[in-house]
Every structure is written in structure tokens, then in C-alpha cells.
Amino acid sequence: MQVPLTAEDRTILALEDARLVGHTATVVHLPGGAPDLRQLRDAVAQRLPAAPRLTWRLSGTSDEPTWRSDEVDVAAHVRVVDGAGPVDEAGVRTELARLFGEHLDRSRPLWRMDVLGPLTGGGALLVWRVHHALADGGTVMRLAEDVLWDPAPAAAGAGGRRSATADPGTSGAEQGRSSLSGVLTGELLPGLRRSPFDARVGRERDVALAVAPVAGLREAARRLAGATLNDAVLAVVAGALRRWLEHRHGPLHGLTVKVPVTLHHDGDDVGNRDSYFRVDLPVDEPDPVARLLAVRRETAERKARHDAQELDELVDRLAQLSPRLAGWSQRLQRSGRSFALNVSNVRGPDRAVTVLGAPVGAVSPLVEVAQHHALRVGVLSVADRLGFGLVADPSVVGDLDVLAAAVEQAAVELLHARRNGTVGGSAR
């Protein structure tokens, strides 16, 4: 069986080069320690028929690439990281950066699991890399249900099988106001200005992880601003960036971020069907609730205008009218002045999950940076843990551990504001 790559999949594949990898990584903390390698391989092998996408490898020609189903050597895909003694926090970051920076073998299906441990603080990590051309974040979570997480009890249901990046809204007459001039005049490209992350990206990577509670942030967002969990995530990122910018660069007035939105639905067997909108983060606002309110206003406007769907439709229209013009538009949209960084938020299972019967702790995504976007923030919720994964080029973005710590501090500030009953810095 051969499956043609979609236009989006081919674009993602083409972005990979000697400096940039094309995969994402899901970092799974296993507090109880590393699983038995043979048992893990056997479990994955037995469940692969439920996830045929993981048997696909690249085939065809460079002009007409396809996915072709192939035999999977599970022993080559599920490995243990060699090393002596427990791995401390600095060693974990080093190993994660090294693993993330390794290109996947294109002669095999484009995924791999590596077990790292034991850790000095206890437990182990399972690092699952999947090429973005093969699966986006939401699809990776569906694949995890198929081959990694232990099957859910019947009463619990699968849960968490949709992206929480943003609610794309409903289709309607409003979308009819889309026009070609909208893209050409920059209607959907606000704030073409430089950012501290707008630089040529090299080969080195730094990574850092942070964790925050899902339920507390969701409730804080609702009570303080009538906002969503995704709004709270963006407000937390804004607060963290504010601290990091003050630490490294001094104050900055506003920072535009790109927020991916999935456009395919549960059960769609497609690799990538995504769009996005942009949000100006109030990184100069010191009050956490005021930041949340500002983000809520921005996202509400973007959703009401159906920016993600309109942009998707306009890109398709441009491609039909003029491939050359479409290429120019895509280059503009990827430029460092179009947005500063990408913040993606995917919803995993709502229930607590296990691997071979062992409880899973925080789960964090790592997503590759891009040229002129030297920092990337990925967010993934599993049960009541929100895992943040930060990836950066260290020659451009230093002190990534400071930014990760600032993420957790900004989350705590919102939780405190909820408990204190403050709105915009004032008591209710």
C-alpha cells in the first residue's frame, strides 16, 4: 500500500536540513523507573497493527514522495540510552538535547522511542520522537493511545483525543468576507517587527521542561477572565517571557506569537491539517490577571474573525491562482517579523495513564525551532499535569532554565490571583 504525502506533509519534510530536524518528541516521565526493554518492545510490537501509520516509511521519488507500509524492526525503534550511573538534571537536559537533535533514519518508519534513566531524583524518561510529516501533535496522542498508554478501563473512555490548541470556531457567513487582498495587505499578519528570537538558527539545541496544574489554571482562567485553559497557557508564557526578557534584554512592548490550530477532526486519518492565528502577548504587563484579560480579548477577536479558517482558505486560493504568489506568501508568513515564536498546546488524555502498568507523571512535548524563530514552546496536558517543553538555539536564547522556572512562577501567580479573588490587580 502506498499513500501520497499531502502538500503540508511535503512542506514539513522539505524544511528539514542539516541544521533543523523534522520531528517532535514526547517526553514521558515514569516515576517508578525504566520499563523492562523486552516487555516494552513486545507490547509495542503487539499493538502496532492498531496504528498502521507507524509502519509507514518514505518511498516514491523526490518529486512524488509517498508513504509505503513496511515491516518494522521494533528492536531498532525502541532502545535504551547507554550510560553509566544515575542521570542528574543537567545530564537529562544534555541527553534530551542530544536525542532531539538526532535526525530520524529515513530508510525506516519515522519514529523512535528511547528510554533514559535511572534519574538521580528517581524514575526514568521515555522519549518518543515522531516525524511531524507523519503525525502532528494531536495525531501523536492518538497513536499513544494505540501503542503506548495501557488501554483505558471501559468506563473511563479514551478521552483527550482532540487538539486544545484553540477552538477554531464554527464555519459561517463571516468566513465569506475573506479576500485575497487580506493576505497581501497583511490583515492577518499584525505587527511586522523584529524580536529577540529573529536570528539565523544553528545546529546546537538547548531544552528545558516545566510543569503546571491543569485544573487550577483552567479554573483560574474561568473565574478571573471568563477565559479558557489555552488563554491561561498564553498568559503564563507572556509572564515567563517578561521575566526572561528583563533578565536578558530589558523590557519589550508586545510580542506576537503564532498559535497553531488543528482543522481536522477526530477519526481523520491525515498527517497534518493545520492552520493558525496570531496573538500579541502583553509581555510589558506586570500584573498576571491583566495579562490574562489582554490575552482573552485577543483570542476572542481572532476566533470571532475565524482567522485560522480564513488563512487556510486564502492559502488554498493563492495556490490555485498563482503558485509563485503562494510561495511568496508562505515565506512572508514564516518570516521572523511575522511572529516571534510558536506556542502550540495539545490536549492529551484527561485520565491518568500508565505504561506497562506503571504510572506516568508529567508528559512534555519538544518541538523544533525554525529559521528566524530561535525559541519554540510546546505544551501538552495529560490528566492534571500541563507539561511545557522549551527548545531553543542556545547561541540566540541563553538561560533557558531561567525561562522554564519563570513559566512555573507565572502559573503560580495566576493560581494565587484566583485564591485571592483579584481581577486586574484589584480585589473583587
Side-chain angles (χ1 to χ4, degrees), residues 6 8-9 12 22-26 53-54 56 67 110 128-144 161-165 260-275 344-347 365-367 376 379-380:
T6 67
E8 283 189 70
D9 297 342
I12 291 169
H23 54 258
T24 63
T26 304
R53 182 177 293 274
L54 294 179
W56 293 357
W67 298 114
L110 292 175
W128 187 18
R129 288 174 284 161
V130 181
H131 203 287
H132 202 327
L134 186 66
D136 62 13
T139 303
V140 168
M141 283 298 97
R142 290 195 290 274
L143 293 172
R161 287 194 170 230
R162 62 180 176 86
S163 167
T165 301
V261 177
T262 185
L263 296 181
H264 63 74
H265 305 286
D266 290 356
D268 288 355
D269 190 23
V270 294
N272 292 278
R273 178 79 167 84
D274 301 324
S275 185
S344 54
N345 181 12
V346 172
R347 179 178 176 179
L366 300 178
V367 190
R376 180 71 185 257
V379 188
L380 173 62

Side-chain angles (χ1 to χ4, degrees), residues 177-188:
R177 67 180 179 78
S178 300
S179 67
L180 180 61
S181 63
V183 167
L184 300 183
T185 60
E187 177 185 349
L188 299 178

